[in-house]
Amino acid sequence: MSVNVMKISASAKLPAGIVEGTEAFWISGEKWLIHEGSTMKFTEAPAKVQNMIVEIFRNDDQARKILKKEGLVKFSEQFDAWYKCRIGALDNTPDFLNGKLNVDAYNSACTDMECPMRGQLCSVSAGLRNYEVQTIKLLQQGYSVKKAANKLSLSHAGMKSRVELLKQKFDAANMAEMITRATALGI
């Protein structure tokens, strides 16, 4: 497992700031970190880093309320769900800088499109629904907007509107950039 994570982190374009900050990510059911240029499991991180992340979790009242509402009452269950949902997957920006959480723009660690916490607990733009992922996948496969609309039983105007909203979510100037960003984020 650690070999795969090492390959992922080595191939990712990590910013120079990663040395100063900490990139946290969830992969294959485990919590991982890149801290000071080294990839490690959360439990192997320096106590100072672990404590900082746990303290940020404890202070995230909104997330704790949502987690309790969803029936997660044990601290460890809440922390794992928060780590997966709020922090997300490996990306190009550190999640923690100067002791503050910097939420990912999109959470590709979450594969549950119907999760009741999606868009509430996930990162800022994470609320991608199943139909949005289907749209992106069709466009990735080379479908034109018109053909994708037909495949999904939408009007051409409705599909164009959906693509525009997805471009906004991915902060993309055009459809090709949106598809590239979605692909890079694991969709």
Side-chain angles (χ1 to χ4, degrees), residues 54-72:
V54 168
E55 191 59 31
I56 289 170
F57 165 66
R58 286 178 194 230
N59 291 326
D60 193 341
D61 292 333
Q62 177 193 7
R64 301 284 306 273
K65 284 178 188 173
I66 292 168
L67 291 163
K68 282 182 183 175
K69 180 181 168 190
E70 293 306 317
L72 300 174

Side-chain angles (χ1 to χ4, degrees), residues 2 9 13 27 30 32 36 39 46 62 65 72 77 92 105 113 125-126 128 131 143 151 154 156 159 165 184 187:
S2 62
S9 63
K13 294 178 183 175
I27 188 168
E30 292 189 273
W32 290 82
E36 295 182 352
T39 304
Q62 177 193 7
K65 284 178 188 173
L72 300 174
E77 290 175 336
N92 293 333
M113 298 301 159
S125 302
L128 289 180
Y131 69 86
Y143 280 72
K151 180 92 172 166
L154 280 176
H156 187 249
M159 179 58 78
L165 290 170
I187 298 174

Side-chain angles (χ1 to χ4, degrees), residues 119-156:
Q120 296 180 66
L121 188 58
C122 289
S123 38
V124 193
S125 302
L128 289 180
R129 296 288 181 195
N130 200 24
Y131 69 86
E132 292 173 310
V133 174
Q134 288 174 335
T135 300
I136 292 168
K137 287 183 176 183
L138 288 175
L139 296 172
Q140 286 170 324
Q141 293 169 17
Y143 280 72
S144 67
V145 171
K146 187 175 181 179
K147 286 184 180 179
N150 288 338
K151 180 92 172 166
L152 296 174
S153 302
L154 280 176
S155 69
H156 187 249

